[in-house]
Amino acid sequence: MKRDIILSGVGGQGILSIATVIGKAALALGLYIKQAEVHGMSQRGGDVQSNLRLSSDPILSDLIPHGGADIIISMEPMEALRYLPYLNREGWIITNTEPFVNIPNYPEMEAVTRELEQQPHVVLIDIVAIAHEISSPRSANIVLLGAAAPFLHIEPDKFEEGIRAIFQRKGDEVVQTNIAAFRAGYEYAQNKIRK
């Protein structure tokens, strides 16, 4: 088993929480893991990207080469496009559709969406709307993790164990809210795959 994952977004959106949950799930399965974080502006609102590599065999490098990523998980649609050169031909893009406009020359959203829709393997998901539907607006990042889970070749219960481990210090209500967010994203992706 091997999965090379690029996580992207904007500072403060919860990219590193997604990476931590995936990492916990991978370690529970005895997989090797390497992670490299690349931060843009060192503040909330700057671009953030993380390379996360999982494998049943030892991993030599923590960086994913161009054309080597199996999946891009992005909290922000334009950031998903930024890392397209890293995606392999069979790779998937799982991205939020809601832009985080943090620069004055942010492209027209219609153009961003059109470019994403032209990709052969993409799941576009409004994670903010889904998080609000389940009364958990702060769990949008975990909705995105749920949408990406079917493409990571790890059983959903392992992610839920990771969510419990990471959020348990915040109390059972926070754990259950994040598990509900994960399940909502997972169900959304499963429905998209079946179509």
Side-chain angles (χ1 to χ4, degrees):
M1 187 275 200
K2 180 190 83 66
R3 270 293 178 250
D4 286 339
I5 306 157
I6 290 183
L7 297 121
S8 65
V10 171
Q13 288 187 306
I15 289 294
L16 300 182
S17 293
I18 293 173
T20 303
V21 174
I22 294 171
K24 287 268 189 200
L27 290 173
L29 292 171
L31 297 174
Y32 292 92
I33 180 171
K34 288 224 180 205
Q35 181 179 4
E37 297 167 13
V38 179
H39 299 274
M41 294 166 44
S42 60
Q43 63 185 20
R44 212 174 256 286
D47 63 310
V48 177
Q49 181 255 339
S50 179
N51 285 221
L52 184 60
R53 307 188 80 187
L54 317 174
S55 179
S56 49
D57 298 315
I59 303 165
L60 300 179
S61 172
D62 53 356
L63 296 177
I64 299 169
H66 277 230
D70 299 297
I71 186 169
I72 295 172
I73 303 172
S74 187
M75 289 290 294
E76 208 287 325
M78 188 182 73
E79 292 299 320
L81 291 175
R82 181 191 307 264
Y83 296 102
L84 278 181
Y86 289 88
L87 194 64
N88 69 42
R89 290 182 181 175
E90 299 303 316
W92 279 84
I93 302 165
I94 316 300
T95 186
N96 181 22
T97 56
E98 188 68 27
F100 186 101
V101 181
N102 58 345
I103 54 174
N105 59 343
Y106 194 99
E108 290 294 322
M109 197 53 219
E110 295 80 18
V112 173
T113 301
R114 191 168 46 251
E115 183 67 27
L116 285 165
E117 288 173 340
Q118 290 175 2
Q119 303 309 311
H121 305 109
V122 65
V123 174
L124 303 172
I125 177 172
D126 187 342
I127 60 173
V128 175
I130 292 172
H132 279 285
E133 283 174 21
I134 61 168
S135 301
S136 181
R138 296 190 67 194
S139 300
N141 62 328
I142 304 301
V143 172
L144 185 65
L145 171 62
F151 307 95
L152 295 173
H153 302 291
I154 295 174
E155 291 300 313
D157 63 311
K158 295 299 181 195
F159 291 111
E160 292 187 15
E161 288 172 19
I163 289 168
R164 282 187 188 91
I166 288 168
F167 293 105
Q168 67 186 3
R169 64 183 171 78
K170 295 185 177 186
D172 191 56
E173 185 178 340
V174 173
V175 169
Q176 294 309 316
T177 297
N178 280 283
I179 287 175
F182 174 82
R183 290 176 179 171
Y186 190 83
E187 182 180 340
Y188 181 92
Q190 291 287 56
N191 289 336
K192 286 290 186 185
I193 293 167
R194 289 187 199 110
K195 287 183 179 177

Short mmCIF file of all heavy atoms in Angstrom, two decimals, residues 73-138:
data_model
loop_
_atom_site.label_atom_id
_atom_site.label_comp_id
_atom_site.label_asym_id
_atom_site.label_seq_id
_atom_site.Cartn_x
_atom_site.Cartn_y
_atom_site.Cartn_z
N ILE A 73 -5.88 16.95 -1.35
CA ILE A 73 -6.98 17.29 -0.45
C ILE A 73 -6.84 18.77 -0.15
O ILE A 73 -5.84 19.18 0.44
CB ILE A 73 -6.92 16.47 0.85
CG1 ILE A 73 -6.93 14.97 0.55
CG2 ILE A 73 -8.08 16.85 1.78
CD1 ILE A 73 -6.66 14.09 1.77
N SER A 74 -7.81 19.57 -0.59
CA SER A 74 -7.64 21.01 -0.48
C SER A 74 -8.83 21.70 0.17
O SER A 74 -9.98 21.50 -0.23
CB SER A 74 -7.39 21.62 -1.86
OG SER A 74 -7.07 22.99 -1.73
N MET A 75 -8.53 22.53 1.14
CA MET A 75 -9.56 23.33 1.81
C MET A 75 -9.96 24.54 0.97
O MET A 75 -10.93 25.21 1.30
CB MET A 75 -9.02 23.84 3.16
CG MET A 75 -8.87 22.78 4.23
SD MET A 75 -10.45 22.18 4.84
CE MET A 75 -11.12 23.63 5.66
N GLU A 76 -9.24 24.79 -0.12
CA GLU A 76 -9.46 26.00 -0.90
C GLU A 76 -9.30 25.66 -2.38
O GLU A 76 -8.31 25.05 -2.76
CB GLU A 76 -8.44 27.05 -0.46
CG GLU A 76 -8.86 28.49 -0.62
CD GLU A 76 -8.88 28.95 -2.06
OE1 GLU A 76 -8.02 28.50 -2.85
OE2 GLU A 76 -9.74 29.76 -2.41
N PRO A 77 -10.26 26.01 -3.24
CA PRO A 77 -10.22 25.55 -4.63
C PRO A 77 -9.03 26.03 -5.46
O PRO A 77 -8.45 25.26 -6.22
CB PRO A 77 -11.55 26.04 -5.22
CG PRO A 77 -12.07 27.06 -4.27
CD PRO A 77 -11.48 26.76 -2.94
N MET A 78 -8.63 27.28 -5.31
CA MET A 78 -7.48 27.75 -6.09
C MET A 78 -6.20 27.06 -5.63
O MET A 78 -5.32 26.76 -6.43
CB MET A 78 -7.32 29.27 -5.99
CG MET A 78 -6.25 29.80 -6.94
SD MET A 78 -5.98 31.56 -6.81
CE MET A 78 -5.11 31.67 -5.26
N GLU A 79 -6.11 26.76 -4.33
CA GLU A 79 -4.93 26.05 -3.82
C GLU A 79 -4.88 24.63 -4.39
O GLU A 79 -3.80 24.09 -4.61
CB GLU A 79 -4.93 26.03 -2.29
CG GLU A 79 -4.70 27.39 -1.66
CD GLU A 79 -3.37 28.02 -2.03
OE1 GLU A 79 -2.35 27.31 -2.10
OE2 GLU A 79 -3.34 29.24 -2.26
N ALA A 80 -6.02 24.02 -4.65
CA ALA A 80 -6.03 22.70 -5.30
C ALA A 80 -5.39 22.80 -6.68
O ALA A 80 -4.58 21.95 -7.06
CB ALA A 80 -7.46 22.16 -5.40
N LEU A 81 -5.73 23.85 -7.41
CA LEU A 81 -5.17 24.03 -8.76
C LEU A 81 -3.67 24.29 -8.71
O LEU A 81 -2.93 23.86 -9.60
CB LEU A 81 -5.87 25.18 -9.48
CG LEU A 81 -7.32 24.94 -9.87
CD1 LEU A 81 -7.92 26.20 -10.48
CD2 LEU A 81 -7.43 23.77 -10.84
N ARG A 82 -3.22 24.97 -7.69
CA ARG A 82 -1.79 25.30 -7.57
C ARG A 82 -0.91 24.03 -7.58
O ARG A 82 0.20 24.04 -8.09
CB ARG A 82 -1.55 26.07 -6.27
CG ARG A 82 -0.10 26.48 -6.06
CD ARG A 82 0.15 27.01 -4.66
NE ARG A 82 -0.72 28.06 -4.24
CZ ARG A 82 -0.43 29.37 -4.33
NH1 ARG A 82 0.71 29.76 -4.85
NH2 ARG A 82 -1.27 30.27 -3.88
N TYR A 83 -1.45 22.92 -7.05
CA TYR A 83 -0.64 21.71 -6.90
C TYR A 83 -0.93 20.64 -7.96
O TYR A 83 -0.45 19.52 -7.84
CB TYR A 83 -0.78 21.16 -5.47
CG TYR A 83 -0.22 22.17 -4.50
CD1 TYR A 83 -1.06 23.00 -3.77
CD2 TYR A 83 1.15 22.35 -4.39
CE1 TYR A 83 -0.53 23.98 -2.93
CE2 TYR A 83 1.68 23.31 -3.55
CZ TYR A 83 0.84 24.12 -2.82
OH TYR A 83 1.36 25.09 -2.01
N LEU A 84 -1.68 21.00 -9.01
CA LEU A 84 -1.95 20.05 -10.08
C LEU A 84 -0.70 19.41 -10.68
O LEU A 84 -0.72 18.23 -11.01
CB LEU A 84 -2.77 20.71 -11.20
CG LEU A 84 -4.26 20.79 -11.01
CD1 LEU A 84 -4.92 21.46 -12.21
CD2 LEU A 84 -4.87 19.43 -10.75
N PRO A 85 0.41 20.14 -10.84
CA PRO A 85 1.61 19.50 -11.41
C PRO A 85 2.12 18.32 -10.58
O PRO A 85 2.86 17.48 -11.09
CB PRO A 85 2.65 20.63 -11.44
CG PRO A 85 1.84 21.89 -11.48
CD PRO A 85 0.61 21.59 -10.66
N TYR A 86 1.72 18.24 -9.32
CA TYR A 86 2.17 17.14 -8.47
C TYR A 86 1.30 15.90 -8.59
O TYR A 86 1.68 14.81 -8.16
CB TYR A 86 2.20 17.59 -7.00
CG TYR A 86 3.31 18.56 -6.72
CD1 TYR A 86 3.11 19.93 -6.90
CD2 TYR A 86 4.56 18.12 -6.33
CE1 TYR A 86 4.14 20.83 -6.67
CE2 TYR A 86 5.59 19.01 -6.09
CZ TYR A 86 5.37 20.36 -6.27
OH TYR A 86 6.40 21.25 -6.05
N LEU A 87 0.12 16.03 -9.17
CA LEU A 87 -0.84 14.93 -9.22
C LEU A 87 -0.49 13.96 -10.33
O LEU A 87 -0.19 14.36 -11.45
CB LEU A 87 -2.25 15.50 -9.44
CG LEU A 87 -3.41 14.56 -9.19
CD1 LEU A 87 -3.49 14.14 -7.73
CD2 LEU A 87 -4.72 15.25 -9.62
N ASN A 88 -0.57 12.64 -10.03
CA ASN A 88 -0.33 11.66 -11.09
C ASN A 88 -1.58 11.52 -11.96
O ASN A 88 -2.65 12.05 -11.62
CB ASN A 88 0.16 10.31 -10.52
CG ASN A 88 -0.91 9.58 -9.74
OD1 ASN A 88 -2.08 9.51 -10.11
ND2 ASN A 88 -0.49 8.99 -8.62
N ARG A 89 -1.47 10.82 -13.07
CA ARG A 89 -2.56 10.76 -14.05
C ARG A 89 -3.83 10.12 -13.52
O ARG A 89 -4.92 10.42 -13.97
CB ARG A 89 -2.10 10.02 -15.30
CG ARG A 89 -1.08 10.80 -16.09
CD ARG A 89 -0.67 10.08 -17.33
NE ARG A 89 0.32 10.87 -18.04
CZ ARG A 89 0.94 10.48 -19.11
NH1 ARG A 89 0.71 9.28 -19.61
NH2 ARG A 89 1.81 11.25 -19.70
N GLU A 90 -3.68 9.20 -12.58
CA GLU A 90 -4.84 8.54 -11.99
C GLU A 90 -5.27 9.18 -10.67
O GLU A 90 -6.19 8.69 -10.02
CB GLU A 90 -4.52 7.05 -11.76
CG GLU A 90 -4.19 6.30 -13.03
CD GLU A 90 -5.30 6.38 -14.07
OE1 GLU A 90 -6.48 6.22 -13.69
OE2 GLU A 90 -4.99 6.64 -15.25
N GLY A 91 -4.60 10.26 -10.29
CA GLY A 91 -4.85 10.88 -8.99
C GLY A 91 -6.18 11.60 -8.89
O GLY A 91 -6.79 11.98 -9.90
N TRP A 92 -6.61 11.79 -7.66
CA TRP A 92 -7.88 12.44 -7.35
C TRP A 92 -7.66 13.78 -6.67
O TRP A 92 -6.72 13.94 -5.89
CB TRP A 92 -8.71 11.55 -6.41
CG TRP A 92 -9.42 10.46 -7.14
CD1 TRP A 92 -8.92 9.24 -7.50
CD2 TRP A 92 -10.77 10.50 -7.60
NE1 TRP A 92 -9.89 8.52 -8.16
CE2 TRP A 92 -11.03 9.26 -8.23
CE3 TRP A 92 -11.79 11.45 -7.54
CZ2 TRP A 92 -12.27 8.96 -8.80
CZ3 TRP A 92 -13.02 11.15 -8.11
CH2 TRP A 92 -13.25 9.92 -8.73
N ILE A 93 -8.57 14.71 -6.95
CA ILE A 93 -8.62 15.99 -6.26
C ILE A 93 -9.91 15.99 -5.44
O ILE A 93 -11.00 15.76 -5.98
CB ILE A 93 -8.67 17.18 -7.25
CG1 ILE A 93 -7.45 17.16 -8.16
CG2 ILE A 93 -8.79 18.50 -6.49
CD1 ILE A 93 -7.61 18.08 -9.37
N ILE A 94 -9.78 16.25 -4.16
CA ILE A 94 -10.93 16.41 -3.28
C ILE A 94 -10.81 17.82 -2.73
O ILE A 94 -9.89 18.12 -1.98
CB ILE A 94 -10.93 15.39 -2.11
CG1 ILE A 94 -10.58 13.98 -2.58
CG2 ILE A 94 -12.25 15.45 -1.36
CD1 ILE A 94 -11.49 13.39 -3.62
N THR A 95 -11.73 18.71 -3.13
CA THR A 95 -11.57 20.10 -2.73
C THR A 95 -12.88 20.76 -2.33
O THR A 95 -13.94 20.45 -2.85
CB THR A 95 -10.90 20.94 -3.84
OG1 THR A 95 -10.64 22.26 -3.35
CG2 THR A 95 -11.75 21.03 -5.09
N ASN A 96 -12.73 21.67 -1.40
CA ASN A 96 -13.81 22.55 -1.02
C ASN A 96 -14.13 23.47 -2.20
O ASN A 96 -13.22 23.85 -2.96
CB ASN A 96 -13.36 23.38 0.20
CG ASN A 96 -14.41 24.32 0.71
OD1 ASN A 96 -15.60 24.16 0.47
ND2 ASN A 96 -13.97 25.32 1.44
N THR A 97 -15.38 23.84 -2.36
CA THR A 97 -15.77 24.74 -3.45
C THR A 97 -15.81 26.20 -3.01
O THR A 97 -15.86 27.09 -3.86
CB THR A 97 -17.16 24.37 -4.00
OG1 THR A 97 -18.10 24.39 -2.93
CG2 THR A 97 -17.14 23.00 -4.65
N GLU A 98 -15.77 26.43 -1.73
CA GLU A 98 -15.88 27.78 -1.19
C GLU A 98 -14.51 28.45 -1.17
O GLU A 98 -13.60 27.99 -0.49
CB GLU A 98 -16.47 27.73 0.22
CG GLU A 98 -16.82 29.06 0.81
CD GLU A 98 -17.98 29.74 0.13
OE1 GLU A 98 -18.85 29.05 -0.44
OE2 GLU A 98 -18.01 30.98 0.16
N PRO A 99 -14.33 29.56 -1.91
CA PRO A 99 -13.02 30.20 -1.94
C PRO A 99 -12.71 30.97 -0.65
O PRO A 99 -13.61 31.42 0.05
CB PRO A 99 -13.12 31.16 -3.12
CG PRO A 99 -14.57 31.50 -3.20
CD PRO A 99 -15.31 30.26 -2.76
N PHE A 100 -11.44 31.09 -0.37
CA PHE A 100 -10.94 31.94 0.70
C PHE A 100 -10.15 33.03 -0.02
O PHE A 100 -9.01 32.82 -0.42
CB PHE A 100 -10.04 31.16 1.65
CG PHE A 100 -9.59 31.94 2.86
CD1 PHE A 100 -10.23 31.76 4.08
CD2 PHE A 100 -8.56 32.85 2.77
CE1 PHE A 100 -9.81 32.47 5.20
CE2 PHE A 100 -8.14 33.57 3.88
CZ PHE A 100 -8.77 33.38 5.10
N VAL A 101 -10.79 34.15 -0.27
CA VAL A 101 -10.19 35.20 -1.09
C VAL A 101 -9.25 36.02 -0.21
O VAL A 101 -9.67 36.89 0.55
CB VAL A 101 -11.27 36.09 -1.73
CG1 VAL A 101 -10.62 37.17 -2.60
CG2 VAL A 101 -12.23 35.24 -2.56
N ASN A 102 -7.96 35.71 -0.33
CA ASN A 102 -6.96 36.34 0.52
C ASN A 102 -5.94 37.17 -0.26
O ASN A 102 -4.97 37.64 0.30
CB ASN A 102 -6.23 35.27 1.35
CG ASN A 102 -5.57 34.22 0.48
OD1 ASN A 102 -5.87 34.11 -0.70
ND2 ASN A 102 -4.69 33.44 1.07
N ILE A 103 -6.19 37.32 -1.56
CA ILE A 103 -5.29 38.12 -2.39
C ILE A 103 -6.15 39.02 -3.29
O ILE A 103 -7.27 38.64 -3.67
CB ILE A 103 -4.35 37.24 -3.25
CG1 ILE A 103 -5.15 36.23 -4.09
CG2 ILE A 103 -3.31 36.55 -2.38
CD1 ILE A 103 -4.33 35.42 -5.07
N PRO A 104 -5.65 40.18 -3.66
CA PRO A 104 -6.47 41.11 -4.46
C PRO A 104 -6.75 40.63 -5.88
O PRO A 104 -7.77 40.98 -6.46
CB PRO A 104 -5.64 42.41 -4.48
CG PRO A 104 -4.26 42.01 -4.09
CD PRO A 104 -4.37 40.77 -3.27
N ASN A 105 -5.90 39.78 -6.43
CA ASN A 105 -6.10 39.32 -7.81
C ASN A 105 -6.59 37.87 -7.86
O ASN A 105 -6.26 37.13 -8.79
CB ASN A 105 -4.81 39.48 -8.62
CG ASN A 105 -3.64 38.72 -8.04
OD1 ASN A 105 -3.67 38.31 -6.88
ND2 ASN A 105 -2.61 38.54 -8.84
N TYR A 106 -7.38 37.48 -6.87
CA TYR A 106 -7.95 36.13 -6.87
C TYR A 106 -8.75 35.96 -8.16
O TYR A 106 -9.55 36.82 -8.52
CB TYR A 106 -8.86 35.94 -5.65
CG TYR A 106 -9.22 34.49 -5.39
CD1 TYR A 106 -8.55 33.75 -4.43
CD2 TYR A 106 -10.24 33.87 -6.10
CE1 TYR A 106 -8.87 32.43 -4.18
CE2 TYR A 106 -10.57 32.54 -5.85
CZ TYR A 106 -9.89 31.83 -4.90
OH TYR A 106 -10.21 30.52 -4.67
N PRO A 107 -8.55 34.85 -8.89
CA PRO A 107 -9.26 34.68 -10.16
C PRO A 107 -10.77 34.54 -9.98
O PRO A 107 -11.25 34.21 -8.89
CB PRO A 107 -8.66 33.39 -10.74
CG PRO A 107 -7.94 32.74 -9.63
CD PRO A 107 -7.66 33.74 -8.58
N GLU A 108 -11.51 34.77 -11.05
CA GLU A 108 -12.96 34.59 -11.02
C GLU A 108 -13.27 33.16 -10.63
O GLU A 108 -12.68 32.22 -11.16
CB GLU A 108 -13.56 34.90 -12.39
CG GLU A 108 -13.52 36.37 -12.77
CD GLU A 108 -14.40 37.21 -11.87
OE1 GLU A 108 -15.50 36.74 -11.49
OE2 GLU A 108 -13.97 38.33 -11.52
N MET A 109 -14.20 32.99 -9.71
CA MET A 109 -14.51 31.66 -9.20
C MET A 109 -15.04 30.74 -10.30
O MET A 109 -14.78 29.54 -10.28
CB MET A 109 -15.52 31.77 -8.05
CG MET A 109 -15.60 30.53 -7.20
SD MET A 109 -13.99 29.99 -6.58
CE MET A 109 -14.18 28.24 -6.75
N GLU A 110 -15.74 31.30 -11.27
CA GLU A 110 -16.25 30.48 -12.38
C GLU A 110 -15.09 29.83 -13.14
O GLU A 110 -15.18 28.68 -13.54
CB GLU A 110 -17.10 31.32 -13.34
CG GLU A 110 -18.38 31.85 -12.74
CD GLU A 110 -18.19 33.09 -11.87
OE1 GLU A 110 -17.13 33.76 -11.97
OE2 GLU A 110 -19.08 33.36 -11.05
N ALA A 111 -14.01 30.57 -13.33
CA ALA A 111 -12.84 30.04 -14.04
C ALA A 111 -12.16 28.94 -13.21
O ALA A 111 -11.74 27.91 -13.76
CB ALA A 111 -11.85 31.16 -14.35
N VAL A 112 -12.08 29.15 -11.91
CA VAL A 112 -11.47 28.14 -11.03
C VAL A 112 -12.30 26.86 -11.07
O VAL A 112 -11.77 25.75 -11.24
CB VAL A 112 -11.34 28.68 -9.58
CG1 VAL A 112 -10.89 27.58 -8.63
CG2 VAL A 112 -10.38 29.85 -9.53
N THR A 113 -13.61 27.01 -10.94
CA THR A 113 -14.50 25.84 -10.95
C THR A 113 -14.44 25.11 -12.28
O THR A 113 -14.37 23.88 -12.34
CB THR A 113 -15.95 26.27 -10.65
OG1 THR A 113 -15.98 26.91 -9.37
CG2 THR A 113 -16.89 25.07 -10.64
N ARG A 114 -14.43 25.87 -13.37
CA ARG A 114 -14.37 25.27 -14.71
C ARG A 114 -13.09 24.45 -14.87
O ARG A 114 -13.12 23.33 -15.36
CB ARG A 114 -14.46 26.37 -15.77
CG ARG A 114 -14.67 25.88 -17.18
CD ARG A 114 -15.04 26.99 -18.15
NE ARG A 114 -14.21 28.19 -18.04
CZ ARG A 114 -14.64 29.35 -17.55
NH1 ARG A 114 -15.86 29.47 -17.08
NH2 ARG A 114 -13.82 30.39 -17.49
N GLU A 115 -11.98 24.99 -14.40
CA GLU A 115 -10.70 24.27 -14.49
C GLU A 115 -10.73 22.99 -13.66
O GLU A 115 -10.26 21.94 -14.09
CB GLU A 115 -9.55 25.17 -14.03
CG GLU A 115 -8.18 24.55 -14.15
CD GLU A 115 -7.73 24.30 -15.58
OE1 GLU A 115 -8.18 25.01 -16.49
OE2 GLU A 115 -6.93 23.35 -15.77
N LEU A 116 -11.29 23.07 -12.46
CA LEU A 116 -11.39 21.88 -11.61
C LEU A 116 -12.30 20.82 -12.24
O LEU A 116 -11.98 19.63 -12.22
CB LEU A 116 -11.91 22.26 -10.22
CG LEU A 116 -10.90 22.95 -9.31
CD1 LEU A 116 -11.60 23.61 -8.13
CD2 LEU A 116 -9.84 21.97 -8.84
N GLU A 117 -13.42 21.26 -12.80
CA GLU A 117 -14.36 20.31 -13.41
C GLU A 117 -13.79 19.61 -14.63
O GLU A 117 -14.26 18.55 -15.02
CB GLU A 117 -15.67 21.03 -13.77
CG GLU A 117 -16.49 21.39 -12.55
CD GLU A 117 -17.71 22.23 -12.87
OE1 GLU A 117 -17.74 22.87 -13.95
OE2 GLU A 117 -18.63 22.27 -12.03
N GLN A 118 -12.76 20.19 -15.24
CA GLN A 118 -12.12 19.56 -16.41
C GLN A 118 -11.15 18.45 -16.01
O GLN A 118 -10.70 17.69 -16.87
CB GLN A 118 -11.38 20.62 -17.23
CG GLN A 118 -12.32 21.57 -17.94
CD GLN A 118 -11.58 22.69 -18.66
OE1 GLN A 118 -10.35 22.74 -18.67
NE2 GLN A 118 -12.32 23.59 -19.27
N GLN A 119 -10.85 18.34 -14.73
CA GLN A 119 -9.93 17.29 -14.28
C GLN A 119 -10.65 15.95 -14.31
O GLN A 119 -11.84 15.87 -14.01
CB GLN A 119 -9.42 17.60 -12.88
CG GLN A 119 -8.71 18.94 -12.76
CD GLN A 119 -7.64 19.14 -13.81
OE1 GLN A 119 -6.79 18.28 -14.02
NE2 GLN A 119 -7.68 20.28 -14.49
N PRO A 120 -9.96 14.87 -14.66
CA PRO A 120 -10.64 13.57 -14.81
C PRO A 120 -11.17 12.97 -13.52
O PRO A 120 -12.16 12.25 -13.54
CB PRO A 120 -9.55 12.68 -15.42
CG PRO A 120 -8.26 13.35 -15.13
CD PRO A 120 -8.54 14.81 -15.02
N HIS A 121 -10.54 13.25 -12.38
CA HIS A 121 -10.96 12.64 -11.12
C HIS A 121 -11.04 13.73 -10.05
O HIS A 121 -10.01 14.10 -9.47
CB HIS A 121 -9.97 11.56 -10.67
CG HIS A 121 -9.73 10.51 -11.69
ND1 HIS A 121 -8.54 10.42 -12.38
CD2 HIS A 121 -10.52 9.53 -12.17
CE1 HIS A 121 -8.61 9.41 -13.23
NE2 HIS A 121 -9.81 8.85 -13.12
N VAL A 122 -12.23 14.21 -9.81
CA VAL A 122 -12.39 15.32 -8.86
C VAL A 122 -13.71 15.18 -8.09
O VAL A 122 -14.71 14.74 -8.65
CB VAL A 122 -12.31 16.69 -9.58
CG1 VAL A 122 -13.46 16.89 -10.55
CG2 VAL A 122 -12.22 17.84 -8.60
N VAL A 123 -13.64 15.51 -6.81
CA VAL A 123 -14.84 15.63 -5.98
C VAL A 123 -14.86 17.07 -5.48
O VAL A 123 -13.96 17.49 -4.74
CB VAL A 123 -14.84 14.64 -4.80
CG1 VAL A 123 -16.03 14.91 -3.88
CG2 VAL A 123 -14.84 13.20 -5.28
N LEU A 124 -15.85 17.82 -5.92
CA LEU A 124 -16.05 19.19 -5.46
C LEU A 124 -17.12 19.16 -4.37
O LEU A 124 -18.20 18.63 -4.59
CB LEU A 124 -16.49 20.09 -6.61
CG LEU A 124 -15.56 20.14 -7.82
CD1 LEU A 124 -16.20 20.91 -8.96
CD2 LEU A 124 -14.23 20.77 -7.43
N ILE A 125 -16.82 19.74 -3.23
CA ILE A 125 -17.73 19.64 -2.09
C ILE A 125 -17.75 20.96 -1.32
O ILE A 125 -16.70 21.53 -1.03
CB ILE A 125 -17.32 18.45 -1.17
CG1 ILE A 125 -18.21 18.38 0.07
CG2 ILE A 125 -15.86 18.51 -0.80
CD1 ILE A 125 -17.99 17.13 0.91
N ASP A 126 -18.94 21.43 -1.02
CA ASP A 126 -19.10 22.64 -0.21
C ASP A 126 -19.08 22.20 1.25
O ASP A 126 -20.12 21.93 1.85
CB ASP A 126 -20.40 23.36 -0.57
CG ASP A 126 -20.52 24.71 0.14
OD1 ASP A 126 -19.80 24.93 1.14
OD2 ASP A 126 -21.35 25.53 -0.30
N ILE A 127 -17.89 22.12 1.81
CA ILE A 127 -17.74 21.60 3.17
C ILE A 127 -18.35 22.52 4.22
O ILE A 127 -18.81 22.07 5.26
CB ILE A 127 -16.26 21.29 3.50
CG1 ILE A 127 -15.40 22.55 3.39
CG2 ILE A 127 -15.74 20.17 2.62
CD1 ILE A 127 -13.97 22.38 3.85
N VAL A 128 -18.37 23.82 3.92
CA VAL A 128 -18.94 24.77 4.86
C VAL A 128 -20.45 24.55 4.99
O VAL A 128 -21.00 24.51 6.08
CB VAL A 128 -18.60 26.22 4.45
CG1 VAL A 128 -19.29 27.23 5.35
CG2 VAL A 128 -17.09 26.43 4.45
N ALA A 129 -21.12 24.38 3.85
CA ALA A 129 -22.56 24.14 3.87
C ALA A 129 -22.90 22.85 4.60
O ALA A 129 -23.83 22.80 5.40
CB ALA A 129 -23.11 24.11 2.44
N ILE A 130 -22.13 21.79 4.34
CA ILE A 130 -22.38 20.51 5.01
C ILE A 130 -22.13 20.63 6.50
O ILE A 130 -22.91 20.12 7.32
CB ILE A 130 -21.54 19.39 4.37
CG1 ILE A 130 -22.04 19.11 2.95
CG2 ILE A 130 -21.58 18.12 5.22
CD1 ILE A 130 -21.19 18.17 2.15
N ALA A 131 -21.06 21.31 6.88
CA ALA A 131 -20.78 21.50 8.30
C ALA A 131 -21.91 22.27 8.99
O ALA A 131 -22.30 21.94 10.12
CB ALA A 131 -19.45 22.22 8.49
N HIS A 132 -22.48 23.25 8.32
CA HIS A 132 -23.61 23.99 8.89
C HIS A 132 -24.85 23.11 8.98
O HIS A 132 -25.60 23.19 9.96
CB HIS A 132 -23.91 25.24 8.06
CG HIS A 132 -23.01 26.39 8.39
ND1 HIS A 132 -23.14 27.15 9.54
CD2 HIS A 132 -21.96 26.92 7.73
CE1 HIS A 132 -22.21 28.07 9.57
NE2 HIS A 132 -21.47 27.96 8.47
N GLU A 133 -25.07 22.25 7.99
CA GLU A 133 -26.22 21.34 8.00
C GLU A 133 -26.22 20.44 9.23
O GLU A 133 -27.27 20.11 9.77
CB GLU A 133 -26.24 20.47 6.74
CG GLU A 133 -26.73 21.16 5.50
CD GLU A 133 -26.57 20.28 4.26
OE1 GLU A 133 -26.46 19.04 4.38
OE2 GLU A 133 -26.54 20.85 3.15
N ILE A 134 -25.02 20.03 9.64
CA ILE A 134 -24.95 19.14 10.82
C ILE A 134 -24.64 19.94 12.10
O ILE A 134 -24.23 19.37 13.10
CB ILE A 134 -23.90 18.02 10.60
CG1 ILE A 134 -22.50 18.59 10.38
CG2 ILE A 134 -24.31 17.10 9.47
CD1 ILE A 134 -21.40 17.57 10.45
N SER A 135 -24.85 21.25 12.03
CA SER A 135 -24.66 22.15 13.17
C SER A 135 -23.25 22.10 13.73
O SER A 135 -23.05 22.11 14.95
CB SER A 135 -25.68 21.83 14.27
OG SER A 135 -26.98 21.95 13.78
N SER A 136 -22.29 22.04 12.83
CA SER A 136 -20.89 21.96 13.25
C SER A 136 -19.98 22.79 12.34
O SER A 136 -19.09 22.25 11.69
CB SER A 136 -20.45 20.50 13.25
OG SER A 136 -19.12 20.40 13.67
N PRO A 137 -20.18 24.11 12.27
CA PRO A 137 -19.41 24.92 11.33
C PRO A 137 -17.90 24.87 11.52
O PRO A 137 -17.15 25.05 10.57
CB PRO A 137 -19.94 26.34 11.55
CG PRO A 137 -20.68 26.31 12.83
CD PRO A 137 -21.11 24.90 13.06
N ARG A 138 -17.43 24.56 12.73
CA ARG A 138 -15.99 24.52 12.98
C ARG A 138 -15.36 23.21 12.53
O ARG A 138 -14.15 23.04 12.62
CB ARG A 138 -15.71 24.76 14.46
CG ARG A 138 -16.14 26.17 14.88
CD ARG A 138 -15.67 26.52 16.24
NE ARG A 138 -14.22 26.64 16.22
CZ ARG A 138 -13.47 26.67 17.31
NH1 ARG A 138 -14.03 26.60 18.50
NH2 ARG A 138 -12.17 26.78 17.23
#
